[in-house]
């Protein structure tokens, strides 16, 4: 039940370690409000999903909601889409205003010379799920060229809430811009993800929330950056679990609001600050 998935966040308390549960912990951010059951689950129904096959010779889809035009695939309807194959110069676009979309990467390799390899132009929420045993790569190999009103500047770029989960592996690279960019809320739940970017490795407008997974980030500017110039209550970073290994030419973590670490393993090598917050900074445990 998708409504229940969105409403429920009770399981999120399990992502924090024992230290975060202690009486001495200072809690400025509530994990219960950040992760839904569907975020934490990372499962999908293979039998009902639309399967998208990427190929330089022409992409294809075995169901409705996804269309292929040469080296571009566009998803316009709610549902689950299992993506496999390779594009040496192409793009996957989600243009499904108000809809919930799950993209399952199952051995998908997408390179784009001048835009995002995955571009969420419109949606209510998107789950980027890494299928078990799958190795995936998403890359922007050159300078970004704008094709619409959005300033696309990441190899993964989302205008909607974005959750990354699953048990597979993902490598993201951006030769001139950011790695993963979300213009709403970004949740990093699980998977093994490497990001190498000329600018920020991970950037979100509302917040970045990490509950698990293994994240290796190499950034030309900040490793993890959150900032919302329109809403001072947003632009925060929350780490409840997972393993983060960050190498950054500026700050390791940079929050325009609050930065709270309640669990997990965090290793930072930064030219500027390791952990930086414009307002409050809390490390529990």
């Amino acid at each position: 039940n998708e409504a229940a998935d969105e409403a429920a966040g009770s399981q999120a308390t399990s992502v924090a370690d024992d230290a975060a549960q202690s009486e001495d912990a200072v809690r400025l951010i509530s994990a219960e409000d950040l992760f839904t059951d569907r975020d934490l689950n990372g499962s999908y129904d293979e039998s009902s999903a639309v399967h998208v096959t990427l190929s330089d010779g022409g992409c294809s889809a075995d169901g409705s909601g996804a269309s292929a035009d040469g080296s571009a695939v566009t998803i316009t309807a709610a549902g689950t889409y299992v993506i496999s194959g390779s594009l040496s110069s192409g793009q996957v676009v989600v243009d499904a205003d108000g809809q919930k979309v799950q993209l399952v990467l199952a051995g998908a390799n997408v390179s784009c010379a001048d835009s995002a390899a995955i571009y969420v132009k419109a949606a209510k929420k998107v789950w980027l799920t890494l299928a078990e045993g799958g190795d995936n790569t998403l890359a922007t190999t050159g300078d970004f060229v704008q094709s619409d009103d959005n300033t696309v500047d990441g190899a993964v770029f989302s205008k909607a809430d974005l959750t990354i989960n699953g048990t597979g592996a993902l490598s993201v690279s951006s030769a001139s811009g950011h790695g993963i960019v979300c213009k709403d809320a970004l949740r990093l739940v699980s998977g093994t993800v490497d990001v190498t970017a000329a600018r920020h490795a991970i950037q979100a407008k509302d917040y970045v929330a990490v509950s698990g997974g293994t994240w290796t980030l190499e950034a030309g500017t900040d490793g993890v950056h959150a900032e919302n110039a329109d809403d001072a209550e947003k632009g925060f970073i929350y780490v409840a679990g997972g393993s983060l290994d960050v190498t950054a030419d500026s700050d390791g973590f940079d929050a325009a609001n609050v930065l709270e670490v309640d669990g997990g393993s965090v290793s930072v090598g930064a030219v500027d600050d390791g952990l930086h917050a414009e307002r409050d900074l809390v490390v529990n445990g």
Side-chain angles (χ1 to χ4, degrees):
N1 184 300
E2 289 190 351
D5 288 339
E6 291 298 312
S10 60
Q11 290 186 3
T13 56
S14 66
V15 302
D17 67 5
D18 291 341
Q21 307 290 340
S22 73
E23 293 180 0
D24 296 332
V26 176
R27 304 299 295 274
L28 299 179
I29 298 171
S30 174
E32 293 89 341
D33 298 331
L34 301 183
F35 302 99
T36 69
D37 290 349
R38 186 172 181 181
D39 291 330
L40 297 171
N41 191 312
S43 64
Y44 60 98
D45 186 353
E46 178 86 27
S47 62
S48 63
V50 175
H51 291 77
V52 177
T53 302
L54 307 177
S55 173
D56 288 336
C59 303
S60 63
D62 67 359
S64 62
S67 60
D69 182 9
S71 60
V73 172
T74 302
I75 294 168
T76 56
T80 298
Y81 301 84
V82 178
I83 303 173
S84 62
S86 298
L87 284 175
S88 60
S89 181
Q91 187 178 49
V92 176
V93 178
V94 177
D95 192 359
D97 192 24
Q99 304 299 311
K100 297 176 183 179
V101 174
Q102 183 177 25
L103 304 179
V104 180
L105 301 185
N109 303 286
V110 182
S111 291
C112 188
D114 56 10
S115 188
I118 291 184
Y119 174 21
V120 180
K121 186 175 182 179
K124 182 175 183 179
K125 185 172 181 177
V126 172
W127 290 266
L128 187 61
T129 300
L130 309 178
E132 182 177 2
D135 290 322
N136 309 279
T137 60
L138 302 171
T140 300
T141 57
D143 294 331
F144 288 88
V145 176
Q146 304 312 317
S147 59
D148 54 31
D149 293 337
N150 296 321
T151 303
V152 177
D153 54 4
V156 176
F157 185 92
S158 179
K159 290 285 289 182
D161 282 2
L162 178 65
T163 295
I164 300 177
N165 59 18
T167 58
L170 172 64
S171 176
V172 178
S173 62
S174 180
S176 64
H178 308 303
I180 299 171
V181 176
C182 179
K183 293 301 182 179
D184 277 312
L186 177 60
R187 301 168 179 89
L188 308 179
V189 173
S190 56
T192 300
V193 181
D194 295 342
V195 182
T196 302
R199 298 174 67 186
H200 303 325
I202 291 174
Q203 174 182 291
K205 186 174 182 179
D206 288 354
Y207 60 80
V208 178
V210 188
S211 66
T214 300
W215 308 85
T216 303
L217 312 178
E218 295 187 20
T221 49
D222 296 338
V224 181
H225 182 96
E227 182 177 4
N228 188 325
D230 302 320
D231 189 342
E233 296 304 311
K234 297 179 180 178
F236 63 85
I237 299 172
Y238 177 69
V239 180
S243 174
L244 297 104
D245 188 346
V246 181
T247 303
D249 285 350
S250 187
D251 296 335
F253 291 75
D254 185 15
N257 190 351
V258 173
L259 169 57
E260 180 173 336
V261 180
D262 279 347
S265 171
V266 179
S267 175
V268 179
V271 173
D272 203 345
D273 301 334
L275 305 177
H276 178 101
E278 290 294 329
R279 293 179 64 182
D280 294 300
L281 172 59
V282 176
V283 178
N284 289 310

